[in-house]
Amino acid sequence: MPQHIDFPLEGDYVELNQLLKLTGLCDSGGAGKAIVASGAVTVDGAVELRKTCKVRAGQAVALAGHVIHVTAG
């Protein structure tokens, strides 16, 4: 069963690698970039390979059984 994480967004967007770091799914932005580059992350159900993809409110990011729901802050 996926673990849901709600992330309140401050501003217009958050970069994908930073989102992984801020939610505790990786230790650093660099580690986040490596995870994204490996093809392990999906945004709204599609594999996302752009490390600094802009994630906006209303989108869902999935990684290894975790689903991050980005909400308007």
Side-chain angles (χ1 to χ4, degrees), residues 3 5 7 9 20 37 39 43-44 47 54 64:
Q3 179 180 348
I5 301 168
F7 181 81
L9 185 65
L20 298 178
V43 177
D44 292 337
V47 173
K54 294 177 180 176

Side-chain angles (χ1 to χ4, degrees), residues 5-7 16 18-26 66 68:
I5 301 168
D6 287 320
F7 181 81
L16 183 54
Q18 292 297 318
L19 178 63
L20 298 178
K21 181 180 88 170
L22 293 170
T23 54
L25 296 182
C26 67
H66 299 275
I68 305 164

Side-chain angles (χ1 to χ4, degrees), residues 3-70:
Q3 179 180 348
H4 293 278
I5 301 168
D6 287 320
F7 181 81
L9 185 65
E10 295 176 14
D12 292 335
Y13 66 89
V14 61
E15 291 181 351
L16 183 54
N17 63 312
Q18 292 297 318
L19 178 63
L20 298 178
K21 181 180 88 170
L22 293 170
T23 54
L25 296 182
C26 67
D27 295 330
S28 67
K33 287 182 179 183
I35 292 168
V36 174
S38 76
V41 180
T42 62
V43 177
D44 292 337
V47 173
E48 180 57 73
L49 297 173
R50 295 173 296 161
K51 301 168 192 76
T52 58
C53 164
K54 294 177 180 176
V55 180
R56 301 179 190 279
Q59 291 189 292
V61 176
L63 169 65
H66 299 275
V67 179
I68 305 164
H69 294 281
V70 181

